[in-house]
Amino acid sequence: MAKTKLTDISKNSEKELLQISADDLPPLPSGCGGGEEITPLSEDNKKEWEHCLDGISALKLPRPQNKEEEDKLVRSFLEGVEKLLTKENNWTFLLPLMHTLESCGKCLACSDACPVYEMSGKQDIYRPTYRAEVLRRIVKNHTTRGKALFPGFSEGKIELNWATVARLAELSFRCTICRRCAQACVRGVDNALITHELRKVFSQQMGITAEVLHEKGTVQQLNVGASTGMNKMAFLDIIDFLEDEMEEKLGRRVKMPMDKEGADILLIHNSGEYLSWPLNPVAFAIIFELAGIDYTLSSELGGYEGTNYGLWYDDLQFARIVVQQIQVAHKLGVKKIVVGECGHAHKAMIVIADRLLTGETIIPRESCFPLLEEIVFSGKIKFDPGKNDFPVLLHDPCNVVRLMGIVEPQRRILRHIAPQFREMNPHGVDNYCCGGGSGFATMSPSKAFTDWKMAISGRKKVQQILEAFGDELGPGKKNFVCAPCSNCKGQFRDLIEYYDLEKKYGIYYDGLVELIVNAMVDIKEPYIEWGGM
Amino acid sequence: MEYAALIITYFAYVFVVVVYTIKVRKYFKMPQSLRWELYPVIHEKGYKYGGSYLEEVDWGKKPRHKNVGRSILHLVAKYLLMGSYFEKKRSYWFGLYSWHMGFILIILFDVLIGFEAVLMKIFGLEVSASAGVFGQFLYYITLVIGLASFTLGAIGSILLLLQRIFDKDMREYATPQNYVNYIFFLVMFLSGWTAWIINDSTFHGFREFWVGVITFQPVHVGFWEWLHIVIFAAFLIYLPLTRSTHYITKILYYFWIKWGDTPNPGKGRMEARIKENLNYRPTWSADHYQNGETWAELATRIPGKEEPEK
C-alpha cells in the first residue's frame, strides 16, 4: 500500500488521493462480509462534485468553474481559519483548539485508537492526525494570527490551494468525532475537535456543510419543529395514532401527556423515534405511567425534538436550538427536562449547552437513564427477567458514556432484567463508536458515502458485536443489541441490513426501554417485535 | 569566558521565565470555553469506570463529590511514569521516557547545585564526600541525579532520533525541529558527561560557578564544564521556543477542559464570563450569521423571523 504524504493533500485536484479496495479492509469474524466495495460516484456526479480525497462525496461540494472561483474559495477558507483563532468568533472552543494546535508531539499514538483508521486497512488519510496536522501547518504557515516564527522549521510546510481545501472539507466528514483519539493522547491533544472546528469553518464562513445537517437538519428543526420535517400537527397525529395502536397491542390505553403545564418533567425524545422506532416513546409512556411520574411531552416548536445537529458543525445553529428547547420548558413551567434515548441530544442539551445559559434561563436537564434505574429498582413495577432470557449486548453511545460519564445506570438495569446480559470488548468509556456518529447515521448523500460508513466507519462495531455474541450466532437465533441512542439505532439498522446480520446471525437491535417493558409482568404479550426492526 | 557564562546564565533564566509567563498568560486570558469533558474524569466518585455525577437523578440538588487531590496525584504520576505511552505505544515509551526523565533530572540537578551554592555561601556548608552527613547526602544525591540525567537524556535522544529516522510513519510527521531537538539535546547531555569525566568528577566546579551567580562574581571553571554551562543556558533559552509549553498548558487543559465538568451555577464568575462571551460580535460570513449582532442576539433570532424571541 503506497504511503500518502501530508503534502499530497495539495497535489492535483483531478486525482483521488486514495481509492479504497475491499482487499484493504480487515476481515470480519464468523465469516461475515467480504468484498465490501465502495460504489464509485457516477460520471455525472464526478463532474459535478469534488471527490479528489477518496472518490467519495459527503458534501456534494460543487467543483469551482475556474481558477478565480477556486482562489476566492481558498481565500474564504483562510479567512475562516483566522476567525477560528479569535475569541469573538470562537470563544466556544478557543482554549482546547489552541492547546491542540500547539501541543501535538506527532507520536501517532492516537492512530490505533481510531476505528476508521484501523478498519480502513490503516489508510494514512484517515489517521486522526492527518487532518489535524494539515490544519496545524495551514495555521502556522498561512495565517497572520497563528503564524510561526520559522514555520518550515518548526511545523513543516503545506501548500494552500483548492485541492487542499476541497480535500479537507471531505476529510472533516470521515471522522465520527467519537473522541477515542483524544482519550488516547497523553498530552490532551484532541484531533476530533479539529474535525469539529474544520466543519465550523466550512459552515460558518463558507456556508458549506452536509445538506441533511443544515438545510434539512437545524434549519428545518428551527422552522418546522423537527429535523425529520415533522410539524406540530403531524406530531400530534402520530401521538394519537400511537395511543390507539398501543391500546390494540397492550389491551389498555397508555396516555402520552401533552403540553401539561407545571409537570415535574418535560420529556424530549429524538423525533426520529416517533417515526422509525415508535415502540421507544411508547415504552417510556408505559414505564412513566406505571411509576407515577408527573411528566409531559410538548407539541411546541422545539419541544418535541431533542436532536441538535448544530453540535456537529455549527455553534450558532447549536445555540439557537438550545434556546428554543429551553424556552419551551420555561413556558410549560416544568421543573426539569429529561432527555430520552438519544446520545447527542444528551450531550448537547445537558453538557454543551450548559455554558450558553445564564441566570434564570438555566433549568435542570438530566439523562433518562438514572431516572429509569430509579424506577426499575423502586419496586413500583414488577419484572420477570425470564421474559428477556436471550443474549443481550449493550452498546455504549459515545456521547452518553465517554463524553458524559453515564456508564452504570443502564448496566445495573440490564443486569436486573436481562439474565444473559453481556459486554463488548472494550466497553464503557473505552467503547467504539457505532460508525454513525457526528451525523453520519442520518447522512446518505451518495451511495459511495453510504457504502463507506457501512464498510469502514461501522466495521469495528460489527466486529465487536460478532465477537461478543460468539457461539450464540446463527440463523433463527435471537441475539439482541441494546442501543440506547437514536442515531446509533439508525446506524445499526443499516449495518444489519448491509451485512445481513439478522438473517445470517440472528442479530436484532433496539433501545433499553423496550427491554424494560418486555420484562414487565403486567405486559402480557412480548413487547419486543423480533424481525423487521 | 567567565563573564560570558555568567551573562548567558542570567539571560537564560530571565528569558525562560518571561517567555513561559507570556505563553501561559495567553491561556489564562482566553474566554470561558463550552464544556468538552472526556471521561474518566479523575476527581469524580465513579472515576474507576468513568462515571460522573450525571449518573444521579436530581444531581443538581445533591452535594458534589470532587477529589482534586486525586486528580493532582494522577497528573503527577502521568508526568513521572508516562504510563499511557507505555500502554499505547511501548516502542516509543522507552526513548521518550528516558528523554523526559533526562530533562526532569537535569533541571533538578541544576536546582540542587544552586541550592547547595546558597548553603555554601550563606551557611558555609561543605558539600563533598568527606563532609558532614547532610553535606555528604547532598553530594551523593547530586552526583547520582546529574549522572542519571546525562545518561537517560543521551539514551532518550538517540532512541528518539533513530525512531524518527527509521519509523516511516513517524518520519512523515517529523519536522526539521524534531531532528534539531534530538541532536541539540544529545549534545547537551553528552557535554555534561564530558565535563564530569574530564574536568570535575565531584561537580564542585558547578557549585562554585553558582556561588558566583549568586554573588555576581565570575568564577573560573574547566573548559568542558564551561561548555556545558553555556549549552545548558542555550537549552533554557531554546526550550520555550519548542512545544515544551505543553508541560504547563496540559495541566490547564486537564483541569479546565478534559476534567472541566463543573456545572454552570448561573451566578458568580462563571456567569460573568458567559455573559461576556455572549456579548462578542462574531464576523462569520455564512448567510445564517448576521454581522454586527452579538452571540446572544443571534442565538435568540431565527433567520426569517422579524423580532428576536424573548
Side-chain angles (χ1 to χ4, degrees):
Chain A
M1 191 165 61
K3 301 290 296 173
T4 310
K5 292 175 170 292
L6 285 159
T7 46
D8 288 347
I9 198 164
S10 315
K11 290 180 182 163
N12 189 2
S13 65
E14 294 303 315
K15 195 180 166 206
E16 291 159 8
L17 273 189
L18 169 71
Q19 285 179 324
I20 302 163
S21 157
D23 296 337
D24 295 332
L25 310 182
L28 291 169
S30 306
C32 180
E36 286 84 23
E37 294 289 356
I38 310 289
T39 310
L41 293 175
S42 68
E43 288 307 314
D44 284 348
N45 287 159
K46 281 184 180 175
K47 279 181 199 153
E48 199 181 348
W49 304 335
E50 281 297 349
H51 55 91
C52 53
L53 177 71
D54 51 7
I56 296 165
S57 174
L59 293 170
K60 298 183 180 177
L61 185 60
R63 304 186 70 177
Q65 297 304 305
N66 49 48
K67 184 75 170 65
E68 286 71 33
E69 215 174 290
E70 281 186 6
D71 291 345
K72 194 178 161 195
L73 286 163
V74 172
R75 277 197 302 277
S76 177
F77 172 78
L78 190 56
E79 278 172 31
V81 174
E82 291 274 10
K83 288 175 188 175
L84 213 51
L85 308 177
T86 65
K87 64 181 179 184
E88 291 77 12
N89 286 295
N90 197 27
W91 59 269
T92 47
F93 290 97
L94 187 61
L95 199 153
L97 173 66
M98 293 311 291
H99 176 73
T100 291
L101 289 174
E102 302 289 343
S103 302
C104 180
K106 305 166 201 301
C107 71
L108 308 182
C110 56
S111 295
D112 288 338
C114 174
V116 170
Y117 172 65
E118 181 191 347
M119 300 315 270
S120 69
K122 302 199 172 184
Q123 304 291 349
D124 291 313
I125 61 166
Y126 298 146
R127 277 182 197 281
T129 39
Y130 192 90
R131 65 182 75 74
E133 188 60 22
V134 171
L135 179 65
R136 190 175 289 115
R137 289 186 181 195
I138 290 171
V139 168
K140 299 294 181 182
N141 280 277
H142 299 284
T143 64
T144 311
R145 192 170 278 269
K147 195 174 178 71
L149 206 54
F150 305 106
F153 172 68
S154 63
E155 309 296 332
K157 293 198 167 163
I158 199 95
E159 193 183 339
L160 181 59
N161 55 25
W162 173 243
T164 317
V165 175
R167 286 181 176 128
L168 267 185
E170 279 295 328
L171 204 46
S172 69
F173 283 86
R174 300 293 186 277
C175 161
T176 63
I177 319 187
C178 76
R179 297 181 72 205
R180 222 170 169 272
C181 55
Q183 207 181 31
C185 182
V186 182
R187 293 187 181 190
V189 169
D190 191 339
N191 289 314
L193 178 73
I194 295 291
T195 300
H196 184 259
E197 300 300 284
L198 275 171
R199 289 186 185 186
K200 277 164 50 179
V201 171
F202 286 108
S203 172
Q204 299 178 177
Q205 176 68 15
M206 304 169 76
I208 293 170
T209 193
E211 188 185 23
V212 75
L213 299 187
H214 189 64
E215 288 87 352
K216 292 183 177 171
T218 57
V219 171
Q220 184 158 245
Q221 180 171 351
L222 288 166
N223 290 291
V224 178
S227 55
T228 49
M230 182 166 59
N231 63 21
K232 178 174 180 166
M233 290 305 292
F235 174 64
L236 290 172
D237 281 349
I238 286 172
I239 295 296
D240 278 345
F241 172 77
L242 288 179
E243 286 178 347
D244 292 344
E245 281 286 297
M246 285 303 117
E247 190 170 8
E248 225 169 86
K249 180 180 167 89
L250 304 174
R252 56 188 284 189
R253 190 161 187 88
V254 178
K255 190 73 188 151
M256 299 171 87
M258 190 64 64
D259 299 323
K260 182 181 161 191
E261 291 187 7
D264 286 346
I265 290 170
L266 167 63
L267 176 65
I268 305 186
H269 295 294
N270 178 321
S271 75
E273 298 284 357
Y274 296 105
L275 299 171
S276 300
W277 303 281
L279 287 181
N280 184 280
V282 174
F284 268 98
I286 295 168
I287 296 166
F288 280 18
E289 185 175 291
L290 289 175
I293 302 289
D294 178 22
Y295 82 104
T296 185
L297 302 176
S298 165
S299 65
E300 289 298 311
L301 202 66
Y304 56 91
E305 175 64 289
T307 65
N308 190 338
Y309 293 175
L311 177 68
W312 299 319
Y313 78 99
D314 194 299
D315 288 340
L316 179 55
Q317 293 297 88
F318 172 82
R320 283 174 170 153
I321 287 172
V322 167
V323 168
Q324 209 179 47
Q325 290 164 333
I326 297 294
Q327 281 172 342
V328 171
H330 282 296
K331 197 172 163 190
L332 283 170
V334 296
K335 293 193 178 80
K336 64 181 173 186
I337 297 173
V338 168
V339 184
E341 291 186 9
C342 177
H344 90 275
H346 262 74
K347 176 78 179 167
M349 206 184 300
I350 299 170
V351 173
I352 310 283
D354 197 38
R355 293 179 188 163
L356 278 172
L357 304 173
T358 55
E360 290 179 357
T361 62
I362 295 174
I363 185 165
R365 303 164 318 279
E366 295 181 14
S367 161
C368 62
F369 299 114
L371 181 59
L372 289 168
E373 182 193 7
E374 192 173 88
I375 292 169
V376 165
F377 289 96
S378 68
K380 289 178 181 167
I381 301 173
K382 285 193 171 57
F383 294 102
D384 174 8
K387 294 170 82 174
N388 282 340
D389 196 11
F390 41 82
V392 172
L393 187 62
L394 177 64
H395 163 69
D396 287 304
C398 303
N399 283 302
V400 173
V401 179
R402 180 164 38 254
L403 309 184
M404 289 180 75
I406 301 174
V407 186
E408 273 298 309
Q410 56 273 41
R411 289 182 157 73
R412 285 193 283 262
I413 292 170
L414 286 176
R415 286 184 206 115
H416 187 64
I417 63 161
Q420 295 191 52
F421 164 59
R422 62 197 60 199
E423 295 277 15
M424 297 185 198
N425 182 29
H427 58 267
V429 294
D430 298 322
N431 75 315
Y432 280 105
C433 174
C434 63
S438 79
F440 287 4
T442 56
M443 288 171 60
S444 293
S446 60
K447 180 76 169 64
F449 185 77
T450 306
D451 286 347
W452 184 87
K453 70 179 182 177
M454 294 294 106
I456 295 177
S457 74
R459 195 176 193 85
K460 189 71 191 177
K461 188 50 69 176
V462 172
Q463 184 192 64
Q464 271 196 299
I465 291 171
L466 292 169
E467 284 172 354
F469 281 129
D471 295 341
E472 308 282 356
L473 297 170
K477 297 279 185 71
K478 285 183 176 178
N479 295 298
F480 189 94
V481 180
C482 173
C485 165
S486 309
N487 277 285
C488 299
K489 280 193 294 196
Q491 173 77 353
F492 280 121
R493 176 187 56 203
D494 296 346
L495 286 172
I496 285 172
E497 188 185 333
Y498 184 81
Y499 290 102
D500 208 6
L501 298 179
E502 184 181 321
K503 197 172 154 196
K504 284 187 184 166
Y505 305 103
I507 295 174
Y508 302 82
Y509 77 100
D510 223 331
L512 177 66
V513 283
E514 290 89 328
L515 274 173
I516 295 175
V517 174
N518 199 55
M520 282 182 184
V521 172
D522 285 347
I523 303 294
K524 303 298 175 200
E525 295 298 316
Y527 191 72
I528 290 172
E529 295 175 350
W530 298 91
M533 280 178 168
Chain B
M1 215 164 81
E2 287 85 0
Y3 274 106
L6 199 62
I7 289 165
I8 195 173
T9 299
Y10 287 132
F11 178 75
Y13 278 89
V14 172
F15 185 82
V16 77
V17 170
V18 168
V19 178
Y20 273 136
T21 304
I22 291 169
K23 283 192 160 192
V24 173
R25 197 164 162 264
K26 200 173 73 179
Y27 280 80
F28 276 93
K29 287 178 76 179
M30 280 187 197
Q32 170 81 65
S33 276
L34 294 182
R35 279 172 64 178
W36 194 246
E37 65 254 34
L38 193 58
Y39 289 83
V41 170
I42 302 300
H43 61 239
E44 289 293 313
K45 194 165 60 183
Y47 76 100
K48 283 186 180 167
Y49 64 86
S52 73
Y53 62 85
L54 298 171
E55 288 188 320
E56 294 181 42
V57 174
D58 289 330
W59 53 262
K61 295 178 184 168
K62 296 173 183 170
R64 261 194 84 201
H65 169 98
K66 190 171 179 181
N67 190 335
V68 178
R70 186 164 59 223
S71 303
I72 294 168
L73 284 177
H74 183 87
L75 264 185
V76 170
K78 261 184 186 295
Y79 276 106
L80 292 181
L81 301 174
M82 302 181 136
S84 303
Y85 281 116
F86 188 74
E87 288 164 25
K88 294 186 167 70
K89 194 158 184 172
R90 200 158 299 178
S91 62
Y92 188 59
W93 180 85
F94 288 107
L96 192 71
Y97 187 72
S98 304
W99 206 50
H100 276 261
M101 287 314 287
F103 290 139
I104 290 171
L105 292 178
I106 203 167
I107 286 165
L108 189 58
F109 170 74
D110 211 50
V111 169
L112 269 174
I113 292 282
F115 175 64
E116 288 159 15
V118 171
L119 295 179
M120 284 161 65
K121 179 69 189 165
I122 298 175
F123 301 107
L125 182 80
E126 185 190 345
V127 180
S128 73
S130 55
V133 177
F134 188 50
Q136 271 195 43
F137 170 75
L138 284 177
Y139 172 77
Y140 283 112
I141 195 84
T142 307
L143 197 65
V144 169
I145 287 174
L147 295 180
S149 130
F150 302 152
T151 309
L152 289 170
I155 290 172
S157 302
I158 293 167
L159 287 177
L160 290 180
L161 180 63
L162 292 176
Q163 194 162 15
R164 281 280 171 201
I165 292 170
F166 292 110
D167 181 322
K168 57 181 189 291
D169 292 332
M170 289 184 72
R171 189 170 64 223
E172 172 59 24
Y173 282 78
T175 63
Q177 187 172 27
N178 286 126
Y179 297 108
V180 168
N181 290 353
Y182 300 140
I183 293 166
F184 176 37
F185 299 155
L186 175 63
V187 168
M188 178 187 70
F189 290 120
L190 290 180
S191 72
W193 257 110
T194 314
W196 183 73
I197 292 168
I198 297 177
N199 286 150
D200 186 357
S201 62
T202 64
F203 292 143
H204 193 67
F206 286 126
R207 292 185 192 92
E208 288 296 328
F209 174 77
W210 267 91
V211 169
V213 170
I214 296 163
T215 56
F216 304 98
Q217 293 294 323
V219 172
H220 178 77
V221 291
F223 171 75
W224 293 102
E225 212 158 25
W226 175 87
L227 188 65
H228 178 71
I229 288 166
V230 170
I231 293 176
F232 182 73
F235 161 75
L236 288 181
I237 293 165
Y238 179 64
L239 208 55
L241 308 177
T242 67
R243 291 180 202 282
S244 61
T245 318
H246 81 83
Y247 273 108
I248 304 167
T249 58
K250 177 175 147 177
I251 299 171
L252 305 179
Y253 175 81
Y254 269 71
F255 282 99
W256 290 350
I257 305 292
K258 193 172 180 182
W259 299 338
D261 64 347
T262 306
N264 176 5
K267 59 186 178 187
R269 179 156 163 69
M270 189 182 286
E271 169 87 350
R273 294 184 76 190
I274 292 169
K275 281 184 174 166
E276 189 183 334
N277 290 342
L278 293 173
N279 276 323
Y280 288 132
R281 295 176 191 276
T283 58
W284 294 104
S285 302
D287 288 345
H288 57 289
Y289 281 75
Q290 289 89 43
N291 287 343
E293 291 186 313
T294 65
W295 280 94
E297 288 163 344
L298 286 165
T300 48
R301 185 196 299 277
I302 297 166
K305 293 195 173 182
E306 289 301 314
E307 292 297 320
E309 297 191 1
K310 302 293 179 194

